[in-house]
Amino acid sequence: MGKLRPRFLAPMLAAVALTVGVAACGGDGGTGTGTAASGAPAEKIKLTVALFSDFHYAPLYEEFKKTHPNVEIVERRAQFNDHHTNLITQLATGAGAADVVAVEGGYVGAFTPTPDKFHNLKDYGLDKRQSEYLDWKWQLGVSNDGSALLGLGTDVGGLAMCYRPDLFEKAGLPTARDEVSALWPTWDQYIETGKKFVAAKVEGAKFTDGPGEHFRAMVEQAPVGYYDEQYNVIAGTNPEVRKAYDMGVRIVDEGLSAKLAAFTPPWNTGIAKGTFATMVCPAWKTGTIKDQNPGEGAWDIAAVPGGGGNQGGTHLMLPKQGKHPKEAAELIDLLTSKESQIKLFKEASALPSLPALYDDPAVSEFVNPYFGNAPIGKIFTDAAKALKPQKVGPKAGDILKAFGDGLQRVEQGKQNPEEAWAQALKDVDRVK
């Protein structure tokens, strides 16, 4: 669920392992009985699920257990960057990959050129689900040559802006979400609002966490991002990328930034204690906020500048190293089902990637009391509907990291903006 988060974007999660007794065996469509054809108990097997954060799957594993009592599921988690680089290494060496792997949307393009490294989900009947999905989300999981279905989408990251009403009140700014949304229909107006916040000299608080997430949001709102329609890298020549970079520099230069890299311990503390007043907020990040226990009503949710968009979202894929692809396919079928996506939206703010659910009252009318009864169903589904997806190439994650590192160097005073931009372009040339 979550989402492309290198360093300044990524959840800094220590590697953990969670073992849940669950099982699988026989039966199409996830309806195995755990009994072999002879009537004897089916062979016990183990499925390993590799994730880069807590996807809140444990209750769904228990549902799977009801029809698949003979499979043990071992869930392992690693920090976002490590998770994806490890997978690249595992596929290259032919060893170590899990049976089921989560691949964030910005990284999925690194794997779709190599369908031979994954089980084709068409072989297990999962192509029947195509009509359920947002078309662009489905296409992200298809191999570049169109021959194979490599992954099923879990969530999308409809964009909003989270803010602290208490800090806005101290700064003399509106606090009601509709009035806050009206402050910044554009990113320039967001900067101007930030300058007013700075002028109010709110003790112990900056206007926002840091420039990296804002840069990414602006790039991903543009019609074209790092790649053109032919998958050529155009990050250095696309004016939208430079515009987003310059906006990030303005956040630094105007004193709006708390200089906190997202998903680091100081950033987590800032969420809890209110050391910054706004942050770019895809749907899944509301779960991250809640995990820091800032208190009910401490954060609220407004519209994002620039008119909607998407940030992050994940696919579940089956490396060919897995020995039990049938059971693994049945598991991801359950984890991505309509019922599961509704449950995960309510539990973890994982916005469904099935558009029919956007009109389901369970999603569209859902309000979150932890965020001042914000109508998050409407906020995030409106953002997702407004999205015009870009081409996501194989090195999108590395390119994003190059520009994010450049903005960090500016923020830390190690380089001026032009020096940092030039180095970022060199870094992009090395990875593309």
Side-chain angles (χ1 to χ4, degrees):
M1 304 189 181
K3 319 48 196 168
L4 182 57
R5 301 190 283 272
R7 275 191 68 215
F8 63 102
L9 307 165
M12 299 301 169
L13 299 168
V16 297
L18 172 66
T19 302
V20 184
V22 179
C25 174
D28 293 334
T31 57
T33 63
T35 303
S38 65
E43 176 188 5
K44 289 187 177 182
I45 64 173
K46 179 187 289 187
L47 293 178
T48 303
V49 180
L51 309 175
F52 49 82
S53 68
D54 182 1
F55 281 31
H56 297 263
Y57 279 166
L60 299 180
Y61 296 155
E62 292 301 317
E63 287 190 26
F64 192 70
K65 179 179 179 180
K66 294 175 183 177
T67 52
H68 299 73
N70 284 36
V71 174
E72 176 188 14
I73 293 183
V74 178
E75 183 180 288
R76 69 191 192 205
R77 304 179 203 156
Q79 183 270 341
F80 182 87
N81 286 339
D82 292 342
H83 170 83
H84 289 96
T85 55
N86 288 347
L87 178 58
I88 291 170
T89 300
Q90 291 157 357
L91 295 179
T93 61
D99 295 281
V100 177
V101 296
V103 177
E104 205 273 345
Y107 272 94
V108 72
F111 303 105
T112 51
T114 56
D116 59 308
K117 300 292 186 182
F118 295 90
H119 291 290
N120 185 352
L121 300 183
K122 291 181 180 180
D123 295 340
Y124 305 96
L126 295 186
D127 52 328
K128 68 185 178 185
R129 296 193 53 194
Q130 180 172 0
S131 62
E132 300 176 29
Y133 274 85
L134 290 163
D135 182 64
W136 64 266
K137 183 70 172 180
W138 181 266
Q139 294 303 325
L140 280 177
V142 175
S143 64
N144 285 9
D145 63 7
S147 66
L149 175 62
L150 304 183
L152 283 186
T154 59
D155 64 317
V156 296
L159 277 179
M161 184 71 73
C162 290
Y163 70 99
R164 294 272 311 208
D166 57 338
L167 297 180
F168 271 48
E169 184 175 13
K170 290 179 181 179
L173 295 170
T175 59
R177 67 180 65 93
D178 289 345
E179 294 178 8
V180 172
S181 298
L183 292 173
W184 52 53
T186 69
W187 287 103
D188 284 337
Q189 288 167 303
Y190 174 79
I191 295 286
E192 292 305 311
T193 302
K195 290 164 68 174
K196 293 176 183 178
F197 184 92
V198 171
K201 297 181 179 179
V202 178
E203 185 177 356
K206 293 291 187 177
F207 184 60
T208 194
D209 48 355
E213 300 278 71
H214 303 70
F215 167 81
R216 183 184 180 192
M218 276 194 73
V219 171
E220 294 187 349
Q221 286 177 331
V224 178
Y226 307 126
Y227 288 84
D228 65 15
E229 290 295 313
Q230 289 73 44
Y231 292 99
N232 299 306
V233 175
I234 58 168
T237 57
N238 183 356
E240 297 291 346
V241 175
R242 182 62 199 239
K243 181 180 176 182
Y245 177 84
D246 289 343
M247 187 272 298
V249 170
R250 288 179 64 195
I251 287 175
V252 175
D253 288 347
E254 298 289 353
L256 310 188
S257 174
K259 300 182 180 180
L260 296 175
F263 303 101
T264 60
W267 181 81
N268 291 337
T269 300
I271 291 174
K273 296 188 175 181
T275 61
F276 53 90
T278 68
M279 62 176 166
V280 173
C281 208
W284 49 264
K285 196 182 283 183
T286 60
T288 304
I289 292 173
K290 188 175 179 181
D291 288 343
Q292 310 316 313
N293 298 312
E296 190 168 301
W299 287 86
D300 208 323
I301 307 170
V304 69
N310 179 76
Q311 188 178 101
T314 296
H315 282 72
L316 297 178
M317 304 171 72
L318 309 184
K320 195 162 280 187
Q321 296 170 33
K323 304 299 184 184
H324 306 286
K326 179 179 180 295
E327 292 80 4
E330 291 173 354
L331 177 59
I332 67 171
D333 191 24
L334 181 143
L335 294 176
T336 59
S337 71
K338 291 181 179 180
E339 296 77 14
S340 295
Q341 291 202 28
I342 289 175
K343 290 176 182 177
L344 292 168
F345 177 64
K346 292 182 175 181
E347 172 66 23
S349 299
L351 183 65
S353 51
L354 312 179
L357 297 182
Y358 297 166
D359 297 318
D360 188 316
V363 174
S364 63
E365 298 178 9
F366 183 70
V367 299
N368 194 325
Y370 201 85
F371 294 87
N373 288 316
I376 67 169
K378 184 178 189 313
I379 290 170
F380 290 121
T381 56
D382 284 352
K385 289 175 182 177
L387 174 69
K388 296 179 181 178
Q390 302 171 349
K391 289 290 185 182
V392 179
K395 297 295 183 178
D398 295 321
I399 294 170
L400 174 59
K401 183 178 184 300
F403 287 111
D405 288 348
L407 286 170
Q408 276 197 334
R409 291 191 297 273
V410 173
E411 194 164 50
Q412 294 166 357
K414 295 179 178 179
Q415 290 180 323
N416 66 41
E418 290 306 317
E419 290 170 340
W421 173 260
Q423 182 175 330
L425 295 185
K426 291 178 181 178
D427 293 342
V428 169
D429 283 338
R430 278 196 289 268
V431 302
K432 71 179 182 181

